[in-house]
Amino acid sequence: MFRGGTVVTVEEGQPLAEAVAVGGGRILAVGSEAEIMALASPGTEIVELDGATVLPGFIDAHGHFMNAPQIVGWVNVSSPPVGPVTSIPEIVTTIRAFMDERRPASGEWVIGYGYDPTVLSDGRELTRDDLDPHFPDNPVMLIHVSGHGCVLNSAGFGIVGIDENTPTPEGGVILRKEGSNEPAGLVMETAFLPIFAHMPQPSQEQLLGVLGDAQEIYTSHGVTTAQEGATNKDDLEFLLRAADEGHLVIDVVSLPIVFDVPALLREYAPDFRGGPMELPDTAAQSFGRYRNRLKLAGIKLVLDGSPQGKTAFWSEPLLTGGPEGEEDYVGAPMVPPEMVTAAVAEFVDKGIQVFSHANGDAAIDMIIDALRAAGVTAADGRRDCVIHSQFVRPDQLAAYAELGMTPSFFTAHTFFWGDVHLENTGPERAAFISPMAAAYERGLRCSNHSDFSVTPMDPFLMMQSAMLRRSRSGVVLGPDQRVDALTALRSLTIDAAWQIFEDDTKGSIAPGKLADLVIVDRNPLDVDPEQLLALQVIETFKEGESVYRRPV
């Protein structure tokens, strides 16, 4: 029993309580301290909150769980407040310090994460020429903060096989040195996909060795359900092993990425018929159920790129041109619309939930059109999710309501790249980025996410960005799209649970639900939004068992 503080239930009928009783991994009762303590028996353990607050465990509505065990061995080249880098020389210094500590062998890959050219004081992209003099003996790959590209040095280009004779694929970007066809360093989108698919991977044993530390990234911030939001075949094999061997202490929701679905089905679905979009009639049986804390929720489509990387797909041109200086630039889809329509029709026919990565409004039109063509309506209750939904238009929110779709917003963009969006799209379009208030006004239920490791795993940062919508320079993007603290919290708990059909067991503190709980030192509903990042997680519980306790 938890008593002596505040219980934020997120339940509409009883949003606040004084105490909660837990047993057998579930919530038994919620109410006043007197009501709950009357249920105590001699063997009851009493947890004294000492004025702290109990919240439902946070749900990672979209992120990349498999990045967590990876980045333990990668170098952080992010900019503040995530990392130390503000210039190209500091990138070099940071990589050098990492190599001095880790001492990789000659020829061994050095991988960094968080590269963000938009905040570098140099005002330009990092190139291979910046890296080559300092790291001639090791291939270097710095993953773009969007997760949709990377910068390589010459040794890296040699290994991945990209040179002056390599054509830029449709929907991709290979920046070239001025006056030549030689790759300069940055590779994005469809040009990056083959590199990403064949990145050097640690062994399963190495990943298992750091999986505890990786999960602590989540539990130390009160997250009890994480998402692996673009799962390839190798990652799924690892997650299945980790689950079956009992290594998962939190729930992991996996979205197999559509590019790998045929390979996955050939191995895991004996009656796979072999066609490009033909799923077995029993395919839906593989989705929606936990197996030792691992669940396949639906299939992931990737329709466009990243807005800060200028590779999203818009209906109107950017004001600043394309990544290679193109005029009247609107980006491009990752796959043709007709392919999306065919894939969605198959997934709808087989009863599988669709999760679509779509940032630009033109990409969002593609998934709306595909679901309409498949005959989907809100009455079907499918809850197809558009991940990011950043530059969604008001008329598209109406279409979401008509089709029963749900957005997972990325409000942290207002801080990290709000100034970039203002420059690229202008104030009117930038003001409607991740329009959470408008979505709720339409009657939609929506979640908020970090896209970890694109931005930090920090639910209070997500809450703050939804409430303030303030850029690095202090500009407020769309003040009318700010939401209150309870709405911001719902998008990280009960509405995030609803989005993945788990609101009957998670997302709020109510009798019968799983005892996924987090104790924080103060009530986020009573804290000035400016102070949200100062809140501290004291302890996290998964199904009533403590999985993280703050060191004292």
Side-chain angles (χ1 to χ4, degrees):
M1 293 181 174
F2 299 81
R3 72 173 184 184
T6 301
V7 179
V8 179
T9 69
V10 199
E11 285 281 300
E12 290 187 6
Q14 186 187 21
L16 296 175
E18 296 177 339
V20 58
V22 170
R26 292 190 178 263
I27 296 163
L28 302 178
V30 184
S32 69
E33 185 170 321
E35 290 170 334
I36 299 305
M37 293 309 298
L39 304 174
S41 65
T44 299
E45 178 184 355
I46 308 298
V47 178
E48 299 290 353
L49 295 172
D50 296 324
T53 296
V54 180
L55 304 171
F58 292 115
I59 294 172
D60 171 30
H62 175 68
H64 300 276
F65 178 80
M66 285 303 298
N67 283 5
Q70 298 264 33
I71 66 174
V72 173
W74 291 352
V75 54
N76 182 0
V77 295
S78 306
S79 298
V82 184
V85 170
T86 61
S87 68
I88 288 173
E90 286 179 352
I91 290 178
V92 172
T93 301
T94 302
I95 299 172
R96 173 54 58 201
F98 174 85
M99 292 181 67
D100 289 344
E101 178 185 348
R102 300 296 181 99
R103 298 198 175 279
S106 178
E108 183 179 344
W109 276 98
V110 174
I111 300 178
Y113 68 96
Y115 166 67
D116 186 357
T118 67
V119 293
L120 296 180
S121 59
D122 312 80
R124 65 174 178 86
E125 292 278 1
L126 177 74
T127 72
R128 66 199 295 178
D129 293 335
D130 297 312
L131 298 171
D132 286 350
H134 305 281
F135 314 109
D137 301 322
N138 292 86
V140 175
M141 177 190 300
L142 303 184
I143 298 176
H144 193 276
V145 68
S146 66
H148 287 237
C150 69
V151 172
L152 297 164
N153 68 349
S154 291
F157 274 116
I159 290 176
V160 304
I162 294 178
D163 58 24
E164 64 274 11
N165 298 313
T166 304
T168 301
E170 186 174 354
V173 174
I174 302 176
L175 286 191
R176 313 283 178 166
K177 290 186 177 182
E178 188 173 355
S180 80
N181 208 39
E182 183 182 355
L186 182 69
V187 180
M188 296 285 288
E189 304 305 344
T190 56
F192 173 63
L193 285 175
I195 300 172
F196 177 74
H198 298 95
M199 279 177 57
Q201 299 290 332
S203 68
Q204 287 194 358
E205 283 67 28
Q206 289 172 316
L207 288 173
L208 289 172
V210 297
L211 193 56
D213 292 338
Q215 290 179 90
E216 190 169 302
I217 295 173
Y218 294 86
T219 58
S220 64
H221 288 94
V223 177
T224 52
T225 299
Q227 187 186 99
E228 187 358 80
T231 312
N232 62 38
K233 181 175 180 293
D234 290 342
D235 286 346
L236 182 56
E237 288 175 350
F238 169 76
L239 288 171
L240 286 167
R241 176 181 172 185
D244 289 345
E245 294 182 6
H247 294 286
L248 297 181
V249 300
I250 62 175
D251 288 340
V252 177
V253 175
S254 169
L255 307 180
I257 194 165
V258 69
F259 305 121
D260 262 10
V261 166
L264 288 168
L265 287 170
R266 275 192 291 273
E267 183 160 344
Y268 296 109
D271 53 346
F272 175 61
R273 299 193 298 273
M277 290 297 172
E278 294 175 349
L279 303 181
D281 292 336
T282 57
Q285 296 176 14
S286 299
F287 294 82
R289 299 168 182 82
Y290 276 101
R291 167 177 164 178
N292 302 317
R293 299 206 187 286
L294 175 66
K295 179 180 91 167
L296 304 186
I299 289 178
K300 172 73 173 293
L301 301 175
V302 182
L303 305 186
D304 69 348
S306 75
Q308 73 271 33
K310 292 190 173 185
T311 53
F313 184 31
W314 292 273
S315 63
E316 297 180 34
L318 296 182
L319 304 179
T320 54
E324 298 181 80
E326 304 94 328
E327 295 183 1
D328 297 322
Y329 182 79
V330 296
M334 290 284 282
V335 290
E338 61 271 18
M339 186 179 292
V340 176
T341 299
V344 168
E346 179 72 7
F347 302 150
V348 169
D349 180 59
K350 297 302 188 293
I352 297 172
Q353 190 179 8
V354 177
F355 292 78
S356 304
H357 166 113
N359 275 302
D361 62 325
I364 294 169
D365 276 334
M366 290 169 63
I367 185 60
I368 289 173
D369 292 345
L371 287 168
R372 276 206 180 112
V376 172
T377 69
D380 298 324
R382 288 182 46 82
R383 305 181 194 178
D384 294 303
C385 180
V386 184
I387 295 169
H388 307 321
S389 287
Q390 298 228 64
F391 286 89
V392 65
R393 303 186 306 265
D395 65 292
Q396 291 175 324
L397 291 179
Y400 283 14
E402 169 200 341
L403 301 173
M405 299 165 68
T406 172
S408 184
F409 288 127
F410 194 176
T411 63
H413 254 259
T414 58
F415 171 75
F416 286 100
W417 300 286
D419 296 318
V420 175
H421 299 323
L422 277 168
E423 183 181 0
N424 288 338
T425 67
E428 183 177 351
R429 291 161 72 185
F432 207 66
I433 188 170
S434 289
M436 189 174 287
Y440 277 112
E441 287 169 4
R442 287 278 187 183
L444 299 173
R445 299 184 73 169
C446 54
S447 66
N448 200 0
H449 64 257
S450 68
D451 204 9
F452 177 80
S453 56
V454 174
T455 65
M457 178 49 60
D458 187 346
F460 295 123
L461 186 152
M462 290 181 256
M463 274 192 71
Q464 184 187 67
S465 64
M467 297 173 70
L468 295 182
R469 296 180 61 90
R470 191 172 60 205
S471 74
R472 288 181 187 267
S473 70
V475 177
V476 175
L477 276 68
D480 59 327
Q481 293 307 314
R482 288 169 159 174
V483 297
D484 61 26
L486 182 57
T487 302
L489 182 60
R490 286 180 60 89
S491 72
L492 302 169
T493 54
I494 188 64
D495 288 344
W498 176 88
Q499 204 164 65
I500 53 174
F501 292 90
E502 295 190 40
D503 50 312
D504 58 336
T505 59
K506 292 179 182 174
S508 67
I509 300 176
K513 290 196 173 186
L514 296 176
D516 292 358
L517 306 170
V518 55
I519 302 175
V520 297
D521 59 350
R522 287 178 287 167
N523 182 354
L525 302 186
D526 294 338
V527 171
D528 186 311
E530 301 283 358
Q531 300 301 315
L532 279 170
L533 301 189
L535 267 60
Q536 297 288 316
V537 170
I538 297 172
E539 193 164 7
T540 302
F541 296 83
K542 178 71 179 96
E543 296 176 32
E545 297 293 329
S546 179
V547 292
Y548 170 81
R549 183 173 294 162
R550 184 180 63 179
V552 294

PDB file of all heavy atoms in Angstrom, residues 64-85:
ATOM      1  N   HIS A  64      12.779   3.857 -30.336  1.00  0.00           N
ATOM      2  CA  HIS A  64      13.554   2.770 -30.931  1.00  0.00           C
ATOM      3  C   HIS A  64      14.339   2.072 -29.823  1.00  0.00           C
ATOM      4  O   HIS A  64      15.494   2.393 -29.537  1.00  0.00           O
ATOM      5  CB  HIS A  64      14.465   3.320 -32.027  1.00  0.00           C
ATOM      6  CG  HIS A  64      13.697   4.001 -33.124  1.00  0.00           C
ATOM      7  ND1 HIS A  64      13.136   3.310 -34.177  1.00  0.00           N
ATOM      8  CD2 HIS A  64      13.345   5.299 -33.298  1.00  0.00           C
ATOM      9  CE1 HIS A  64      12.480   4.156 -34.960  1.00  0.00           C
ATOM     10  NE2 HIS A  64      12.599   5.371 -34.448  1.00  0.00           N
ATOM     11  N   PHE A  65      13.665   1.108 -29.189  1.00  0.00           N
ATOM     12  CA  PHE A  65      14.227   0.414 -28.038  1.00  0.00           C
ATOM     13  C   PHE A  65      15.586  -0.190 -28.342  1.00  0.00           C
ATOM     14  O   PHE A  65      16.482  -0.187 -27.487  1.00  0.00           O
ATOM     15  CB  PHE A  65      13.246  -0.673 -27.578  1.00  0.00           C
ATOM     16  CG  PHE A  65      13.749  -1.498 -26.426  1.00  0.00           C
ATOM     17  CD1 PHE A  65      13.679  -1.007 -25.130  1.00  0.00           C
ATOM     18  CD2 PHE A  65      14.284  -2.763 -26.625  1.00  0.00           C
ATOM     19  CE1 PHE A  65      14.136  -1.761 -24.055  1.00  0.00           C
ATOM     20  CE2 PHE A  65      14.740  -3.525 -25.565  1.00  0.00           C
ATOM     21  CZ  PHE A  65      14.667  -3.022 -24.276  1.00  0.00           C
ATOM     22  N   MET A  66      15.770  -0.691 -29.554  1.00  0.00           N
ATOM     23  CA  MET A  66      17.043  -1.340 -29.882  1.00  0.00           C
ATOM     24  C   MET A  66      18.186  -0.343 -30.001  1.00  0.00           C
ATOM     25  O   MET A  66      19.346  -0.747 -30.070  1.00  0.00           O
ATOM     26  CB  MET A  66      16.901  -2.161 -31.166  1.00  0.00           C
ATOM     27  CG  MET A  66      16.134  -3.465 -30.974  1.00  0.00           C
ATOM     28  SD  MET A  66      16.847  -4.547 -29.719  1.00  0.00           S
ATOM     29  CE  MET A  66      18.459  -4.887 -30.428  1.00  0.00           C
ATOM     30  N   ASN A  67      17.883   0.954 -30.026  1.00  0.00           N
ATOM     31  CA  ASN A  67      18.964   1.932 -29.953  1.00  0.00           C
ATOM     32  C   ASN A  67      19.600   1.965 -28.574  1.00  0.00           C
ATOM     33  O   ASN A  67      20.776   2.311 -28.434  1.00  0.00           O
ATOM     34  CB  ASN A  67      18.442   3.337 -30.285  1.00  0.00           C
ATOM     35  CG  ASN A  67      18.237   3.553 -31.764  1.00  0.00           C
ATOM     36  OD1 ASN A  67      18.400   2.633 -32.556  1.00  0.00           O
ATOM     37  ND2 ASN A  67      17.861   4.755 -32.147  1.00  0.00           N
ATOM     38  N   ALA A  68      18.807   1.635 -27.536  1.00  0.00           N
ATOM     39  CA  ALA A  68      19.301   1.752 -26.164  1.00  0.00           C
ATOM     40  C   ALA A  68      20.525   0.873 -25.902  1.00  0.00           C
ATOM     41  O   ALA A  68      21.551   1.372 -25.424  1.00  0.00           O
ATOM     42  CB  ALA A  68      18.175   1.464 -25.178  1.00  0.00           C
ATOM     43  N   PRO A  69      20.476  -0.445 -26.200  1.00  0.00           N
ATOM     44  CA  PRO A  69      21.691  -1.236 -25.989  1.00  0.00           C
ATOM     45  C   PRO A  69      22.813  -0.886 -26.957  1.00  0.00           C
ATOM     46  O   PRO A  69      23.985  -1.161 -26.673  1.00  0.00           O
ATOM     47  CB  PRO A  69      21.214  -2.684 -26.175  1.00  0.00           C
ATOM     48  CG  PRO A  69      19.963  -2.593 -26.964  1.00  0.00           C
ATOM     49  CD  PRO A  69      19.334  -1.293 -26.594  1.00  0.00           C
ATOM     50  N   GLN A  70      22.468  -0.270 -28.091  1.00  0.00           N
ATOM     51  CA  GLN A  70      23.499   0.112 -29.055  1.00  0.00           C
ATOM     52  C   GLN A  70      24.277   1.339 -28.577  1.00  0.00           C
ATOM     53  O   GLN A  70      25.508   1.360 -28.616  1.00  0.00           O
ATOM     54  CB  GLN A  70      22.861   0.419 -30.415  1.00  0.00           C
ATOM     55  CG  GLN A  70      22.154  -0.758 -31.044  1.00  0.00           C
ATOM     56  CD  GLN A  70      23.023  -1.497 -32.049  1.00  0.00           C
ATOM     57  OE1 GLN A  70      24.230  -1.579 -31.899  1.00  0.00           O
ATOM     58  NE2 GLN A  70      22.400  -2.039 -33.069  1.00  0.00           N
ATOM     59  N   ILE A  71      23.547   2.381 -28.131  1.00  0.00           N
ATOM     60  CA  ILE A  71      24.235   3.643 -27.834  1.00  0.00           C
ATOM     61  C   ILE A  71      25.125   3.549 -26.609  1.00  0.00           C
ATOM     62  O   ILE A  71      25.957   4.437 -26.382  1.00  0.00           O
ATOM     63  CB  ILE A  71      23.242   4.813 -27.684  1.00  0.00           C
ATOM     64  CG1 ILE A  71      22.355   4.633 -26.456  1.00  0.00           C
ATOM     65  CG2 ILE A  71      22.420   4.985 -28.938  1.00  0.00           C
ATOM     66  CD1 ILE A  71      21.474   5.832 -26.192  1.00  0.00           C
ATOM     67  N   VAL A  72      24.972   2.480 -25.840  1.00  0.00           N
ATOM     68  CA  VAL A  72      25.906   2.266 -24.732  1.00  0.00           C
ATOM     69  C   VAL A  72      27.334   2.214 -25.264  1.00  0.00           C
ATOM     70  O   VAL A  72      28.287   2.623 -24.586  1.00  0.00           O
ATOM     71  CB  VAL A  72      25.538   0.972 -23.974  1.00  0.00           C
ATOM     72  CG1 VAL A  72      26.597   0.630 -22.935  1.00  0.00           C
ATOM     73  CG2 VAL A  72      24.176   1.126 -23.303  1.00  0.00           C
ATOM     74  N   GLY A  73      27.511   1.740 -26.497  1.00  0.00           N
ATOM     75  CA  GLY A  73      28.843   1.635 -27.089  1.00  0.00           C
ATOM     76  C   GLY A  73      29.119   2.655 -28.178  1.00  0.00           C
ATOM     77  O   GLY A  73      30.085   2.504 -28.929  1.00  0.00           O
ATOM     78  N   TRP A  74      28.270   3.685 -28.305  1.00  0.00           N
ATOM     79  CA  TRP A  74      28.457   4.719 -29.327  1.00  0.00           C
ATOM     80  C   TRP A  74      28.896   6.030 -28.679  1.00  0.00           C
ATOM     81  O   TRP A  74      28.739   6.229 -27.469  1.00  0.00           O
ATOM     82  CB  TRP A  74      27.157   4.958 -30.088  1.00  0.00           C
ATOM     83  CG  TRP A  74      26.724   3.826 -30.980  1.00  0.00           C
ATOM     84  CD1 TRP A  74      27.418   2.703 -31.294  1.00  0.00           C
ATOM     85  CD2 TRP A  74      25.470   3.728 -31.675  1.00  0.00           C
ATOM     86  NE1 TRP A  74      26.697   1.903 -32.137  1.00  0.00           N
ATOM     87  CE2 TRP A  74      25.498   2.506 -32.393  1.00  0.00           C
ATOM     88  CE3 TRP A  74      24.354   4.540 -31.771  1.00  0.00           C
ATOM     89  CZ2 TRP A  74      24.431   2.087 -33.190  1.00  0.00           C
ATOM     90  CZ3 TRP A  74      23.286   4.129 -32.553  1.00  0.00           C
ATOM     91  CH2 TRP A  74      23.329   2.916 -33.264  1.00  0.00           C
ATOM     92  N   VAL A  75      29.418   6.923 -29.490  1.00  0.00           N
ATOM     93  CA  VAL A  75      29.861   8.226 -28.996  1.00  0.00           C
ATOM     94  C   VAL A  75      28.729   9.240 -29.192  1.00  0.00           C
ATOM     95  O   VAL A  75      28.098   9.287 -30.246  1.00  0.00           O
ATOM     96  CB  VAL A  75      31.153   8.689 -29.704  1.00  0.00           C
ATOM     97  CG1 VAL A  75      31.017   8.682 -31.215  1.00  0.00           C
ATOM     98  CG2 VAL A  75      31.573  10.069 -29.227  1.00  0.00           C
ATOM     99  N   ASN A  76      28.484  10.035 -28.165  1.00  0.00           N
ATOM    100  CA  ASN A  76      27.413  11.031 -28.184  1.00  0.00           C
ATOM    101  C   ASN A  76      27.942  12.320 -28.800  1.00  0.00           C
ATOM    102  O   ASN A  76      28.720  13.044 -28.180  1.00  0.00           O
ATOM    103  CB  ASN A  76      26.910  11.278 -26.758  1.00  0.00           C
ATOM    104  CG  ASN A  76      25.749  12.268 -26.704  1.00  0.00           C
ATOM    105  OD1 ASN A  76      25.301  12.783 -27.720  1.00  0.00           O
ATOM    106  ND2 ASN A  76      25.260  12.517 -25.503  1.00  0.00           N
ATOM    107  N   VAL A  77      27.521  12.617 -30.035  1.00  0.00           N
ATOM    108  CA  VAL A  77      27.918  13.869 -30.690  1.00  0.00           C
ATOM    109  C   VAL A  77      26.718  14.817 -30.785  1.00  0.00           C
ATOM    110  O   VAL A  77      26.646  15.666 -31.663  1.00  0.00           O
ATOM    111  CB  VAL A  77      28.535  13.621 -32.086  1.00  0.00           C
ATOM    112  CG1 VAL A  77      29.839  12.864 -31.960  1.00  0.00           C
ATOM    113  CG2 VAL A  77      27.563  12.884 -33.008  1.00  0.00           C
ATOM    114  N   SER A  78      25.768  14.663 -29.852  1.00  0.00           N
ATOM    115  CA  SER A  78      24.593  15.539 -29.813  1.00  0.00           C
ATOM    116  C   SER A  78      24.974  16.922 -29.321  1.00  0.00           C
ATOM    117  O   SER A  78      26.017  17.126 -28.687  1.00  0.00           O
ATOM    118  CB  SER A  78      23.529  14.943 -28.876  1.00  0.00           C
ATOM    119  OG  SER A  78      23.216  13.617 -29.218  1.00  0.00           O
ATOM    120  N   SER A  79      24.088  17.867 -29.592  1.00  0.00           N
ATOM    121  CA  SER A  79      24.251  19.229 -29.108  1.00  0.00           C
ATOM    122  C   SER A  79      23.509  19.407 -27.798  1.00  0.00           C
ATOM    123  O   SER A  79      22.617  18.618 -27.465  1.00  0.00           O
ATOM    124  CB  SER A  79      23.738  20.220 -30.157  1.00  0.00           C
ATOM    125  OG  SER A  79      24.497  20.096 -31.346  1.00  0.00           O
ATOM    126  N   PRO A  80      23.837  20.443 -27.009  1.00  0.00           N
ATOM    127  CA  PRO A  80      23.146  20.683 -25.744  1.00  0.00           C
ATOM    128  C   PRO A  80      21.635  20.829 -25.975  1.00  0.00           C
ATOM    129  O   PRO A  80      21.221  21.331 -27.022  1.00  0.00           O
ATOM    130  CB  PRO A  80      23.770  21.995 -25.252  1.00  0.00           C
ATOM    131  CG  PRO A  80      25.120  22.032 -25.892  1.00  0.00           C
ATOM    132  CD  PRO A  80      24.921  21.402 -27.242  1.00  0.00           C
ATOM    133  N   PRO A  81      20.808  20.351 -25.026  1.00  0.00           N
ATOM    134  CA  PRO A  81      21.166  19.820 -23.713  1.00  0.00           C
ATOM    135  C   PRO A  81      21.431  18.320 -23.685  1.00  0.00           C
ATOM    136  O   PRO A  81      21.581  17.753 -22.611  1.00  0.00           O
ATOM    137  CB  PRO A  81      19.925  20.151 -22.892  1.00  0.00           C
ATOM    138  CG  PRO A  81      18.798  20.014 -23.877  1.00  0.00           C
ATOM    139  CD  PRO A  81      19.351  20.525 -25.175  1.00  0.00           C
ATOM    140  N   VAL A  82      21.490  17.684 -24.843  1.00  0.00           N
ATOM    141  CA  VAL A  82      21.646  16.232 -24.896  1.00  0.00           C
ATOM    142  C   VAL A  82      23.105  15.818 -24.881  1.00  0.00           C
ATOM    143  O   VAL A  82      23.475  14.793 -24.316  1.00  0.00           O
ATOM    144  CB  VAL A  82      20.943  15.667 -26.144  1.00  0.00           C
ATOM    145  CG1 VAL A  82      21.003  14.147 -26.164  1.00  0.00           C
ATOM    146  CG2 VAL A  82      19.500  16.147 -26.200  1.00  0.00           C
ATOM    147  N   GLY A  83      23.963  16.609 -25.521  1.00  0.00           N
ATOM    148  CA  GLY A  83      25.380  16.284 -25.618  1.00  0.00           C
ATOM    149  C   GLY A  83      26.227  17.542 -25.630  1.00  0.00           C
ATOM    150  O   GLY A  83      25.719  18.651 -25.469  1.00  0.00           O
ATOM    151  N   PRO A  84      27.541  17.406 -25.872  1.00  0.00           N
ATOM    152  CA  PRO A  84      28.459  18.523 -25.690  1.00  0.00           C
ATOM    153  C   PRO A  84      28.773  19.337 -26.938  1.00  0.00           C
ATOM    154  O   PRO A  84      29.497  20.322 -26.861  1.00  0.00           O
ATOM    155  CB  PRO A  84      29.728  17.811 -25.210  1.00  0.00           C
ATOM    156  CG  PRO A  84      29.710  16.501 -25.947  1.00  0.00           C
ATOM    157  CD  PRO A  84      28.257  16.119 -26.070  1.00  0.00           C
ATOM    158  N   VAL A  85      28.257  18.952 -28.107  1.00  0.00           N
ATOM    159  CA  VAL A  85      28.793  19.455 -29.371  1.00  0.00           C
ATOM    160  C   VAL A  85      28.073  20.713 -29.850  1.00  0.00           C
ATOM    161  O   VAL A  85      26.844  20.735 -29.963  1.00  0.00           O
ATOM    162  CB  VAL A  85      28.708  18.359 -30.448  1.00  0.00           C
ATOM    163  CG1 VAL A  85      29.016  18.920 -31.820  1.00  0.00           C
ATOM    164  CG2 VAL A  85      29.654  17.215 -30.118  1.00  0.00           C
TER     165      VAL A  85
END
